[in-house]
Amino acid sequence: MYEEILKASTRIAGRIHTTPVQTSAAADAWAGKQLFFKCENFQKTGSFKARGALNAVLKAKDENPKLKGVVTHSSGNHGQALAWAARQAQLQCTVVVPEGSPLVKCNAIQSYGAELIYCAPNPQARAAAAEKIVSESAFLFVPPYDHHDVIAGQGTIATEFLSQVPDLDAILVPISGGGMTSGIAVAAKNIRPETKVFAVEPEGKDLQASLMAEQRLWKGEPKFLDTIADGIRLQQVGHLTFPLLCKYAESTVFSVSDEEMVSAMKFIWQRMKVVVEVSSSAGLAAAVSPRMKEVMPELKKIGVILCGGNVDIDKLPW
Amino acid sequence: MYEEILKASTRIAGRIHTTPVQTSAAADAWAGKQLFFKCENFQKTGSFKARGALNAVLKAKDENPKLKGVVTHSSGNHGQALAWAARQAQLQCTVVVPEGSPLVKCNAIQSYGAELIYCAPNPQARAAAAEKIVSESAFLFVPPYDHHDVIAGQGTIATEFLSQVPDLDAILVPISGGGMTSGIAVAAKNIRPETKVFAVEPEGKDLQASLMAEQRLWKGEPKFLDTIADGIRLQQVGHLTFPLLCKYAESTVFSVSDEEMVSAMKFIWQRMKVVVEVSSSAGLAAAVSPRMKEVMPELKKIGVILCGGNVDIDKLPW
């Protein structure tokens, strides 16, 4: 997997931004630690998803030059990223989005030239809608996270981050399906084994129990969590990402409430002058939580992934 | 003056941020030009004012080691910057602010340990209040713009910017008292004479007429313009900055409306994921204006100064 991440770095180089790392004396004071913010909100399409989508699309086109188009379902950021990546590779693109997705994300998907199809806001409906398009066209399905090429693309965040700040003690990663967290964990553990990679989840996901048991303890159908952090609202991580998380990420998981995320989000906007979406603030919320100081007092230099900035500025959660 | 700017660069190095330059394909498409955004909103204290204030304070303390404190009047950003700079130099600081200044700026001034004094919201009242403090204490008055050390500090923006993007055809600078614009113009013309420096003003300032006549054509007392861009609401530029502007800046001035600035501000937040205050968006508003295309079609690579990000995110102008 790590070799795939290195190949992805080469494949997508020049088309994606090397995103800056920002620091904030005020944030350091709040956390009592030295924080390094990896600004993937400044990435192409406004989120880290551009990395995985572009890697998957370019690799697929290399392997099948006759490929006509790609399709996905996504709450927004992966949809935007795939639409952008398809245009980069001169492919058609269809994106299935759940009704109620932020307008700003839907408009952006269409602005990259992709076709938009709405479905009911649950994981089953969006999978069914995407499958229908795959079976009716010859489009390739590129899932949002449970795909090796997508995971490899997201892993390039860590190769880049650790070249910018080589001695991070830990990296805090907001988690939904686990594509970004598993990719970062694989890369970090191969580059610098002593760097710990922690997932940060909205309350109710209960990832830690599954990671500690090394088996999927979620019961029933996949569902969305009750959180305003729409970028990380999947309850269950993927079937490809889960074993990678068990092997490479810490089994300790930080759970943060909506209130903690909104508080961190306001801080990032007001003090750091950076526009992030709610899910992006999960890492800072974890970094300043009492649990961080209890669990890992010895960790000093903490990387925080600001995963995206696609928020409707007319509808802020405060 | 240019030598003073070079000395200022050395004096403040290591204490201020080398601010990043950001680009945006969407902004380039809007302007029809290649834009480079100098992100002084990420500067210490949230605006470029940290440069001039720190340069003035460090130089004053060097020259008079017995200096106890500094005082200024400011609509906010210079006040914050001076409060921060005084703490850097271990000096006391008092800041006179007009009633009605954004709460976020007042809180920040106090958070740097300075004393806050309110006055009526007009230029005469704030000057009088500051003079009273100077006469009662032995504090040094550090004006917001009309001071050689302040101008020299702001000029370091240009030395830094032109080392990051050496071949800028022009730089667009939001103007109030003219400290930043004159400093940038002096530096740019010394480093690269073919780089044009344009002031961008809120409507009603009429700077162009005075620059073309090379004399101050404003009638009556200094006043505030009727604009929501509170960072650039002074009508008249300074008496030290004016001759520098006549000599080094273009006499063509871009006037932008509140509506144009708010539109540019929303774009910067939504598409570039950067928090800027209204006055910061004046440069982009000018870059995308029809006048820009008419007046200077040959200019291709345009620097845009994002001068500050100190905005109350609970009170947005949309």
Side-chain angles (χ1 to χ4, degrees):
Chain A
M1 190 72 217
Y2 179 54
E3 274 171 33
E4 285 305 313
I5 294 171
L6 296 180
K7 284 183 194 166
S9 289
T10 307
R11 192 176 286 124
I12 67 180
R15 293 179 189 257
I16 58 142
H17 290 305
T18 299
T19 53
V21 174
Q22 295 210 358
T23 57
S24 161
D28 291 358
W30 190 16
K33 296 181 181 292
Q34 207 177 349
L35 303 183
F36 299 85
F37 295 87
K38 180 66 171 160
C39 295
E40 286 293 302
N41 59 317
F42 296 146
Q43 189 49 271
K44 292 281 184 188
T45 76
S47 88
F48 74 95
K49 294 275 191 181
R51 297 176 184 263
L54 184 62
N55 186 51
V57 165
L58 291 179
K59 184 155 173 274
K61 206 188 173 188
D62 260 6
E63 291 170 355
N64 174 14
K66 289 182 179 170
L67 182 65
K68 285 230 173 77
V70 288
V71 59
T72 196
H73 53 67
S74 164
S75 65
N77 278 342
H78 175 66
Q80 263 186 70
L82 192 71
W84 168 82
R87 177 170 274 186
Q88 293 284 311
Q90 294 171 301
L91 293 173
Q92 294 176 64
C93 182
T94 302
V95 179
V96 177
V97 297
E99 287 154 13
S101 295
L103 187 65
V104 60
K105 297 189 178 186
C106 296
N107 288 346
I109 290 170
Q110 290 179 307
S111 78
Y112 295 119
E115 189 188 358
L116 210 62
I117 291 178
Y118 288 91
C119 71
N122 65 68
Q124 292 77 14
R126 66 186 201 181
E131 275 163 30
K132 185 160 176 280
I133 294 157
V134 170
S135 68
E136 287 174 1
S137 68
F139 282 16
L140 176 73
F141 178 60
V142 181
Y145 53 88
D146 227 13
H147 189 288
H148 280 119
D149 300 335
V150 173
I151 296 168
Q154 321 306 28
T156 64
I157 299 169
T159 57
E160 201 175 286
F161 201 2
L162 285 167
S163 76
Q164 293 167 310
V165 190
D167 55 346
L168 289 173
D169 294 321
I171 305 176
L172 297 171
V173 194
I175 191 163
S176 190
M180 174 167 59
T181 312
S182 60
I184 286 176
V186 169
K189 284 296 162 189
N190 275 275
I191 296 167
R192 188 171 187 273
E194 58 271 47
T195 300
K196 296 177 192 297
V197 175
F198 293 96
V200 183
E201 65 176 19
E203 287 177 342
K205 189 184 184 84
D206 290 331
L207 174 61
Q208 181 169 297
S210 292
L211 288 182
M212 289 200 162
E214 294 194 36
Q215 67 179 57
R216 307 173 66 90
L217 298 180
W218 299 284
K219 303 295 177 200
E221 292 291 301
K223 64 173 187 177
F224 290 141
L225 300 168
D226 180 21
T227 174
I228 59 165
D230 64 288
I232 50 173
R233 60 180 173 154
L234 271 178
Q235 183 199 35
Q236 301 184 16
V237 302
H239 288 268
L240 289 180
T241 59
F242 183 69
L244 293 172
L245 292 169
C246 288
K247 185 167 180 191
Y248 295 103
E250 298 302 306
S251 57
T252 297
V253 172
F254 290 90
S255 291
V256 291
S257 68
D258 279 6
E259 291 68 29
E260 288 173 306
M261 284 191 275
V262 170
S263 169
M265 181 180 174
K266 282 192 85 165
F267 182 94
I268 294 167
W269 286 51
Q270 189 80 72
R271 300 301 297 266
M272 297 174 60
K273 318 300 179 191
V274 171
V275 171
V276 291
E277 55 190 76
V278 186
S279 54
S280 267
S281 58
L284 177 59
V288 301
S289 67
R291 184 143 180 260
M292 186 76 200
K293 293 186 180 89
E294 283 163 25
V295 175
M296 301 283 154
E298 78 283 10
L299 303 178
K300 302 293 180 208
K301 299 183 77 168
I302 313 288
V304 176
I305 309 291
L306 300 182
C307 51
N310 292 326
V311 59
D312 189 339
I313 60 171
D314 290 321
K315 290 178 186 168
L316 297 175
W318 55 75
Chain B
M1 190 72 217
Y2 178 54
E3 275 171 33
E4 285 304 315
I5 294 171
L6 295 180
K7 284 182 194 167
S9 290
T10 306
R11 191 176 288 122
I12 67 180
R15 292 178 188 257
I16 59 143
H17 289 305
T18 299
T19 53
V21 174
Q22 296 211 355
T23 58
S24 160
D28 290 359
W30 190 16
K33 296 181 181 291
Q34 207 178 347
L35 303 183
F36 299 86
F37 295 86
K38 179 67 171 160
C39 295
E40 286 293 303
N41 59 317
F42 296 147
Q43 189 50 269
K44 293 281 184 186
T45 76
S47 88
F48 73 96
K49 294 275 190 180
R51 298 175 182 263
L54 184 62
N55 185 52
V57 165
L58 292 178
K59 185 156 173 274
K61 205 187 174 190
D62 259 7
E63 290 169 355
N64 174 14
K66 289 182 180 170
L67 183 65
K68 285 231 173 79
V70 288
V71 58
T72 195
H73 52 67
S74 163
S75 65
N77 278 342
H78 174 65
Q80 262 186 72
L82 192 70
W84 169 82
R87 177 169 273 187
Q88 293 285 311
Q90 295 171 298
L91 293 173
Q92 295 176 64
C93 182
T94 302
V95 179
V96 178
V97 298
E99 287 154 12
S101 294
L103 187 65
V104 60
K105 296 189 179 187
C106 296
N107 289 346
I109 289 170
Q110 290 179 307
S111 78
Y112 294 119
E115 189 187 358
L116 211 61
I117 292 179
Y118 288 91
C119 70
N122 65 68
Q124 293 77 14
R126 67 186 199 181
E131 275 162 31
K132 187 159 173 282
I133 294 157
V134 170
S135 68
E136 288 173 1
S137 69
F139 283 17
L140 175 74
F141 178 61
V142 181
Y145 52 89
D146 227 14
H147 189 287
H148 279 119
D149 300 335
V150 173
I151 296 169
Q154 322 305 27
T156 65
I157 299 169
T159 57
E160 200 175 288
F161 200 3
L162 285 167
S163 76
Q164 293 167 311
V165 190
D167 56 344
L168 290 173
D169 293 322
I171 305 176
L172 297 171
V173 193
I175 192 163
S176 191
M180 174 168 59
T181 312
S182 60
I184 287 177
V186 169
K189 284 296 163 187
N190 275 277
I191 297 167
R192 189 171 187 272
E194 58 270 47
T195 300
K196 296 176 193 295
V197 176
F198 293 96
V200 183
E201 65 176 18
E203 287 176 344
K205 189 183 184 82
D206 292 331
L207 175 61
Q208 181 169 298
S210 292
L211 289 182
M212 288 198 163
E214 293 194 35
Q215 65 179 63
R216 306 173 68 89
L217 300 178
W218 299 285
K219 302 296 178 200
E221 292 291 299
K223 64 173 189 179
F224 290 142
L225 300 169
D226 179 21
T227 173
I228 58 166
D230 65 288
I232 50 173
R233 61 181 172 153
L234 271 179
Q235 184 198 33
Q236 302 184 14
V237 302
H239 288 268
L240 289 179
T241 58
F242 183 69
L244 293 171
L245 293 169
C246 289
K247 186 167 179 191
Y248 296 103
E250 299 302 306
S251 57
T252 297
V253 173
F254 290 90
S255 291
V256 291
S257 67
D258 279 6
E259 291 68 31
E260 289 173 307
M261 284 190 275
V262 170
S263 169
M265 182 180 173
K266 283 191 83 163
F267 182 95
I268 293 167
W269 286 51
Q270 189 80 73
R271 301 300 298 264
M272 296 174 60
K273 318 300 181 192
V274 171
V275 171
V276 291
E277 56 192 76
V278 185
S279 54
S280 267
S281 57
L284 177 60
V288 301
S289 66
R291 182 140 180 263
M292 186 77 201
K293 294 187 179 85
E294 282 163 24
V295 175
M296 302 284 155
E298 78 282 10
L299 302 179
K300 302 292 179 210
K301 298 183 76 167
I302 313 288
V304 176
I305 309 292
L306 301 182
C307 49
N310 292 326
V311 60
D312 188 340
I313 60 172
D314 290 321
K315 290 178 185 168
L316 297 174
W318 55 75

